């Protein structure tokens, strides 16, 4: 049978359009259909249903799963050159133990990576006894060198006191607490210089009083190493712009002096977006305030040890904002990664269920229990406005 030419043309374009739509559907990933009475809510500030409602499995790429070779007493275990890392005080031991129990139950009991604890004073025998009892892996207890913890000589105390009053007036938490500023500075640019970490490449930061909800059956450090990743996060938030008013201007000064350090595949758009929270961008003088919440981070210390990062940290350190403002390690790390690293090397661990009050990362997975799927917070609804993952998804993706 001969088909008329107009019909053939119509069929051709119909097949073309159909093929295009099929390709687009595969590219955009799985679409979830919910009954009208069970459709998850679209929260304030969100671009749609939280992607944590999507069925979540292990990440794509090369994965190494646990076997008997990961035994704690095997000196030839295939573990990466890595440690679990915690900055913690003696009086926080019970909260630290609870965090350890969660992570050991869901992950580390299968891989037996060592724990390294840091404090600015010696750890007590009680702290050592309670923490070592939670894990078969080795535990190390380290004191931070005084020169790494002390307030730098170029910080003017009277100016700090005056600045602390301004931070308090702006309701900036811990603004007047010297030790908090010291902690932020140490976490930003000094922890990886500790002699105990000199020969270690990877770390997973763990804080007291956090929770882990999902069984993870692959070696997270080997995933990072084998898939060319630099940094992994779970939660991505906006910061309080009143705490960092000059962080971005100082960053711009550094960029102007060192344009060669800016990666061609950077995440600049995520850093300077002004559409979602324009007031934040304005108060932070051009910075969106988006940052990875660094109480959870899995990262390659070789990035922090690089010349580009070390020079950036030194520039910020000399500017004084760790004390005259409240520059945290979260925005400092995030800005550096967003500018100086290939954004494809930054990974959202959507499969790792995690909570640091008041925020969650809770995926839709049969491996998770104890958290509510797709819930960012169990606090007030306004906290959903602090979610900056949507900007990350927009400018970078969900990988």
């Amino acid at each position: 049978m001969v088909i008329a030419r107009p019909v053939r043309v119509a069929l051709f374009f119909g097949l073309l359009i159909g093929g295009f739509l099929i390709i687009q559907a595969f590219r955009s990933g799985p679409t979830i259909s919910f009954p009208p009475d069970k459709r998850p809510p679209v929260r304030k500030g969100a671009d749609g249903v939280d992607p944590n409602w999507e069925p979540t499995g292990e990440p794509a790429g090369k994965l190494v799963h646990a076997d008997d070779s990961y035994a704690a007493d095997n000196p030839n275990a295939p573990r990466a050159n890595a440690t679990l890392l915690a900055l913690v005080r003696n009086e926080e031991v019970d909260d630290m133990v609870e965090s350890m129990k969660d992570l050991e139950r869901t992950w580390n009991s299968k891989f037996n990576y060592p724990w390294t604890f840091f404090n600015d004073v010696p750890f007590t025998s009680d702290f050592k006894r309670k923490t070592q009892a939670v894990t078969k892996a080795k535990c190390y207890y380290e004191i931070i060198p005084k020169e790494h913890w002390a307030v730098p000589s170029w910080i003017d105390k009277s100016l700090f006191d005056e600045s602390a009053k301004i931070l308090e007036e702006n309701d900036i938490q811990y603004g007047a607490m010297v030790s908090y500023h010291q902690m932020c500075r140490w976490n930003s640019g000094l922890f990886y210089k500790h002699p105990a970490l000199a020969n270690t490449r990877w770390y997973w930061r763990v804080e007291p009083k956090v929770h882990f909800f999902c069984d993870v059956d692959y070696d997270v450090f080997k995933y990072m190493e084998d898939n060319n990743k630099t940094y992994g996060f779970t939660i991505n938030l906006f910061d309080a712009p009143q705490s960092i008013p000059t962080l971005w201007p100082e960053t711009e000064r550094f960029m102007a002096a060192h344009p060669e350090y800016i990666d061609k595949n950077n995440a600049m758009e995520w850093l300077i977006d002004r559409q979602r929270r324009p007031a934040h961008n304005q108060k932070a003088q051009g910075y969106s305030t988006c940052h990875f919440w660094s109480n959870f981070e899995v990262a390659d210390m070789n990035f922090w040890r690089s010349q580009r990062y070390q020079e950036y940290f030194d520039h910020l350190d000399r500017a004084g904002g760790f004390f005259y403002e409240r520059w945290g390690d979260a925005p400092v790390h995030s800005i550096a990664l967003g500018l100086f690293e290939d954004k494809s090397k930054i990974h959202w661990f959507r499969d790792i269920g995690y909570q640091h009050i008041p925020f969650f990362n809770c995926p839709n997975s049969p491996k998770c229990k104890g958290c509510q799927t797709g819930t960012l917070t169990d606090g007030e609804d306004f906290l959903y406005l602090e979610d900056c993952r949507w900007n990350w998804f927009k400018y970078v993706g969900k990988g």
Side-chain angles (χ1 to χ4, degrees):
M1 181 179 68
V2 178
I3 302 175
R5 186 172 184 272
V7 177
R8 292 201 305 270
V9 172
L11 286 171
F12 172 77
F13 280 104
L15 290 170
L16 190 65
I17 293 169
F20 173 78
L21 291 174
I22 290 170
I23 290 168
Q24 290 303 108
F26 277 105
R27 282 181 175 174
S28 61
T31 300
I32 315 171
S33 297
F34 298 97
D37 60 331
K38 293 185 178 180
R39 183 173 175 79
V42 177
R43 301 292 187 174
K44 288 182 179 180
D47 289 346
V49 173
D50 193 304
N52 269 330
W53 281 97
E54 299 171 5
T56 299
E58 294 180 335
K62 182 179 179 181
L63 298 175
V64 178
H65 293 88
D67 59 27
D68 292 343
S69 66
Y70 275 96
D73 58 356
N74 181 10
N76 299 312
R79 283 182 282 271
N81 181 10
T83 189
L84 299 165
L85 185 152
L87 173 64
V88 55
R89 298 192 180 282
N90 285 306
E91 56 268 28
E92 296 174 303
V93 62
D94 291 336
D95 289 335
M96 190 71 237
V97 163
E98 290 308 306
S99 299
M100 291 179 70
K101 284 180 178 178
D102 266 12
L103 191 53
E104 287 288 329
R105 171 180 53 81
T106 57
W107 183 72
N108 198 46
S109 61
K110 307 159 198 169
F111 297 97
N112 294 298
Y113 276 95
W115 289 82
T116 306
F117 301 97
F118 292 95
N119 197 345
D120 62 323
V121 299
F123 283 105
T124 63
S125 57
D126 184 60
F127 185 98
K128 294 177 180 179
R129 177 180 58 79
K130 287 182 175 180
T131 50
Q132 184 63 79
V134 180
T135 179
K136 293 180 291 183
K138 291 182 179 179
C139 292
Y140 300 94
Y141 305 91
E142 306 293 343
I143 301 175
I144 299 170
K146 290 182 179 179
E147 62 271 21
H148 286 183
W149 195 255
V151 177
S153 59
W154 57 86
I155 298 300
D156 184 299
K157 187 177 186 307
S158 60
L159 182 55
F160 170 78
D161 292 338
E162 191 63 33
S163 300
K165 291 178 184 178
I166 296 172
L167 290 170
E168 284 191 310
E169 290 170 2
N170 284 299
D171 296 323
I172 299 302
Q173 195 175 26
Y174 310 124
M177 188 184 297
V178 176
S179 62
Y180 191 85
H181 293 264
Q182 291 170 303
M183 177 194 72
C184 290
R185 177 176 179 257
W186 186 79
N187 277 326
S188 293
L190 293 166
F191 77 94
Y192 52 87
K193 294 182 177 180
H194 195 286
L197 298 176
N199 298 312
T200 304
R201 179 179 175 184
W202 302 93
Y203 70 97
W204 182 336
R205 179 169 160 182
V206 184
E207 293 199 352
K209 214 171 183 177
V210 301
H211 294 288
F212 297 90
F213 302 103
C214 308
D215 289 329
V216 179
D217 298 318
Y218 62 92
D219 186 333
V220 168
F221 291 121
K222 295 294 285 184
Y223 169 79
M224 297 288 286
E225 187 172 64
D226 293 340
N227 294 281
N228 198 25
K229 302 295 183 181
T230 297
Y231 189 88
F233 70 96
T234 52
I235 297 170
N236 189 326
L237 301 172
F238 288 93
D239 208 348
Q242 304 94 319
S243 69
I244 49 171
T246 67
L247 176 56
W248 188 251
E250 284 298 338
T251 298
E252 289 182 312
R253 291 187 185 95
F254 182 79
M255 285 192 290
H258 296 285
E260 71 277 10
Y261 289 159
I262 301 174
D263 194 272
K264 292 180 180 178
N265 192 33
N266 60 64
M268 178 73 80
E269 291 175 305
W270 173 68
L271 293 173
I272 64 173
D273 175 84
R274 65 183 62 191
Q275 296 177 15
R276 195 173 296 274
R277 301 291 291 273
H280 275 54
N281 183 289
Q282 184 178 15
K283 291 176 183 177
Q285 303 192 69
Y287 172 36
S288 67
T289 76
C290 288
H291 63 280
F292 309 118
W293 216 23
S294 58
N295 44 70
F296 174 107
E297 58 183 8
V298 181
D300 184 351
M301 283 186 277
N302 286 349
F303 179 81
W304 311 131
R305 292 166 177 148
S306 69
Q307 181 176 336
R308 61 191 185 280
Y309 181 77
Q310 193 55 59
E311 289 186 11
Y312 175 60
F313 171 76
D314 290 343
H315 174 88
L316 296 181
D317 200 22
R318 282 289 174 175
F322 288 111
F323 291 91
Y324 301 143
E325 297 177 12
R326 199 206 64 183
W327 295 354
D329 51 279
V332 170
H333 280 183
S334 301
I335 289 174
L337 288 157
L339 294 175
F340 310 138
E341 186 54 287
D342 182 331
K343 63 190 178 187
S344 70
K345 296 183 179 182
I346 301 171
H347 178 68
W348 176 36
F349 278 108
R350 64 188 300 169
D351 59 313
I352 297 181
Y354 176 71
Q355 181 201 22
H356 182 296
I357 296 172
F359 295 106
F360 290 82
N361 183 68
C362 189
N364 181 3
S365 169
K367 292 186 175 185
C368 303
K369 58 183 178 181
C371 65
Q372 186 175 346
T373 298
T375 298
L376 177 74
T377 179
D378 55 2
E380 298 295 327
D381 276 355
F382 74 86
L383 290 171
Y384 278 91
L385 294 174
E386 304 306 319
D387 186 5
C388 195
R389 290 176 308 155
W390 295 103
N391 275 359
W392 186 258
F393 302 153
K394 175 182 177 180
Y395 295 120
V396 181
K398 299 177 187 177

